[in-house]
Amino acid sequence: MRDLLPVLSGWYAARTPFGLATVVAVSRSAPRDPGAAMAVGPDDEVVGSVSGGCVEGAVFELAREVVASGEARLETFGYSDEDAFAVGLTCGGEVTVLVRPVTPEADPTFGAVARSVAAGEPVTVATVTDGPAPRGATLAVWPGRVGGTLGSTGLDVAVTADARGELALGATGLRHYGPRGERREDSVTVFLHSFAPPPRMLVFGAIDYAAAVARIGDFLGYRVTVCDARPVFATPKRFPAGVEVVVDWPHRYLHGTDTDERTVICVLTHDPKFDVPLLEEALRRPAAYIGAMGSRRTHDERMRRLLESSLSEGELARLRSPVGLDLGARTPEEVAVSVAAEIVALRWGGTGVPLTATAGAIHRAPSG
């Protein structure tokens, strides 16, 4: 959805109705996660995807219908044993899609939400998907304000509280309520879609490997910062456009930088005077991933020095070193793929084993 907003904002500003399809639930091996979106606008222009190609044709027709009728629709698509190439997911999964018309009258907060997402301001959009409440009604929830309504004051109050909790976690998913927001009932289903600012990737050591890691981090949607104490190496022209480059001692910069449970920290300096004090700082703070580059010998020496610090065993166990998965990587670009693969595997609980050697669902549910 985040990637579609520039196009959708243009349609919205021109007061051109469009149909917006959003994945609100998946099961088994569905190809897209909740929040994936597709829109059908003027002259049947299509942007986005809800299944990677399996059901886009059917969703296209649904989007045209909801624009014509002004009524939102909820549809579930799944695998068909009789005809795997009929409308359905040949991967064996199931995806539930909410398709709703978007106009300034139907969704008066859409423009404000789009502006917030573009500016990196956190916001959650709550949308009724089913039950005795107006299907497709939306409530936009920011940390300090709300806009829109789901049809009743009680429901708005309950959903606002939950939406702010989900926003703090960057979480997206379905919640259930009574028609007036009752917690013990589940007749109304609401989809909470959180637009938290992009997670950060902090890369320390302005070397060729750092440029490749920064490039793939940007591709994966991270807000990337490269930091090095040596100004001759830490120059913006050596890194992709949009990557922040900072000249500072790594541990000092990290000490003054906020991190959270989504932050990725890549230590590529492999120089004890830089990486030991940096890792002492990194391993004591929240982060999704902390990896350090170096040979086995460098790793052993680094661990010896870290063991002499006051870090606990639990803190030391968070370190991924040597960094990356065993892909046989040689070039900086290949090493960056190795590092990115380890980050993705850790995020989703993957094993790093070839899929040909595994069984069961390919797309794992998020842990926790």
Side-chain angles (χ1 to χ4, degrees):
M1 173 68 88
R2 190 186 299 271
D3 295 337
L4 308 189
L5 283 175
V7 174
L8 305 189
S9 295
W11 294 345
Y12 188 83
R15 306 186 71 84
T16 302
F18 59 91
L20 178 61
T22 305
V23 175
V24 297
V26 299
S27 66
R28 300 191 300 277
S29 189
R32 301 297 303 274
D33 290 329
M38 168 182 159
V40 178
D43 300 320
D44 290 339
E45 181 180 354
V46 177
V47 293
S49 170
V50 292
S51 74
C54 299
V55 301
E56 267 65 12
V59 172
F60 171 80
E61 295 298 337
L62 274 174
R64 297 178 69 188
E65 291 173 13
V66 302
V67 169
S69 68
E71 300 292 332
R73 297 267 299 274
L74 186 71
E75 297 287 345
T76 297
F77 301 94
Y79 180 77
S80 168
D81 290 326
E82 290 76 22
D83 183 0
F85 296 98
V87 173
L89 301 177
T90 58
C91 59
E94 189 173 87
V95 58
T96 300
V97 180
L98 175 71
V99 189
R100 63 185 180 93
V102 178
T103 64
E105 294 75 25
D107 189 350
T109 67
F110 186 89
V113 168
R115 289 189 294 272
S116 289
V117 174
E121 181 183 9
V123 59
T124 292
V125 178
T127 308
V128 175
T129 66
D130 204 7
R135 177 175 287 160
T138 60
L139 178 74
V141 181
W142 289 267
R145 70 187 196 278
V146 298
T149 180
L150 301 182
S152 82
T153 300
L155 184 58
D156 288 348
V157 169
V159 170
T160 295
D162 288 345
R164 288 187 172 137
E166 298 293 86
L167 187 58
L169 299 173
T172 287
L174 294 172
R175 288 293 187 101
H176 303 279
Y177 308 88
R180 291 179 294 277
E182 297 92 339
R183 297 285 183 177
R184 295 184 180 182
E185 298 185 26
D186 60 2
S187 59
V188 177
T189 303
V190 178
F191 180 63
L192 301 181
H193 191 177
S194 296
F195 295 91
R200 297 199 67 182
M201 173 182 279
L202 305 177
V203 182
F204 295 96
I207 60 177
D208 288 346
Y209 291 95
V213 170
R215 190 175 301 112
I216 203 166
D218 180 67
F219 176 76
L220 291 175
Y222 289 92
R223 179 163 67 92
V224 183
T225 298
V226 176
C227 175
D228 198 303
R230 302 164 296 182
V232 67
F233 295 113
T235 60
K237 68 180 181 181
R238 300 185 65 234
F239 296 94
V243 171
E244 180 187 29
V245 180
V246 173
V247 179
D248 200 350
W249 278 82
H251 72 281
R252 184 168 61 192
Y253 173 76
L254 183 58
H255 182 74
T257 300
D258 290 332
T259 63
D260 60 26
E261 286 74 12
R262 302 183 302 154
T263 303
V264 166
I265 299 174
C266 299
V267 179
L268 310 182
T269 49
H270 52 80
D271 182 334
K273 70 176 178 291
F274 291 122
D275 58 17
V276 171
L278 170 60
L279 288 170
E280 287 186 39
E281 175 70 31
L283 293 169
R284 290 190 172 101
R285 58 172 51 236
Y289 174 90
I290 303 170
M293 176 178 279
S295 66
R296 302 287 184 189
R297 180 176 179 180
T298 299
H299 167 74
D300 291 342
E301 175 62 19
R302 180 191 294 133
M303 289 301 294
R304 184 187 66 79
R305 291 171 178 259
L306 289 173
L307 285 168
E308 293 173 354
S309 70
S310 58
L311 289 166
S312 68
E313 290 186 8
E315 289 167 336
L316 286 171
R318 299 175 62 204
L319 178 61
R320 317 288 291 194
S321 173
V323 71
L325 296 185
D326 180 13
L327 305 183
R330 294 288 193 275
T331 68
E333 291 74 19
E334 290 173 344
V335 169
V337 170
S338 167
V339 173
E342 185 174 41
I343 291 169
V344 172
L346 189 63
R347 177 183 180 186
W348 296 110
T351 63
V353 174
L355 289 172
T356 54
T358 66
I362 292 174
H363 303 285
R364 297 168 179 266
S367 59

